[in-house]
Amino acid sequence: MGEAYAETGKLDRAEEHLKALEQICGKQCEQYRDLHEAIAKAKKKSG
């Protein structure tokens, strides 16, 4: 869900999901890393 938010430009919602993932599984879990990368790409796209 967080990746979909990132892809549609809803970065605030994507970052909420990222924070939740950090609390659930930490920064080393695959889901956290994937979403972190998706947010970074979306930020690059938006300027």
Side-chain angles (χ1 to χ4, degrees):
M1 190 70 194
E3 288 182 54
Y5 282 133
E7 290 174 10
T8 59
K10 297 177 182 172
L11 297 178
D12 55 335
R13 298 294 306 265
E15 289 176 347
E16 288 176 17
H17 280 261
L18 188 67
K19 287 178 187 176
L21 281 172
E22 183 179 357
Q23 291 178 351
I24 294 167
C25 63
K27 291 183 178 182
Q28 299 306 315
C29 72
E30 181 179 356
Q31 294 84 355
Y32 179 93
R33 291 189 315 249
D34 290 348
L35 181 52
H36 187 269
E37 184 177 323
I39 291 170
K41 284 181 183 178
K43 285 182 177 181
K44 251 186 179 177
K45 251 188 200 180
S46 68

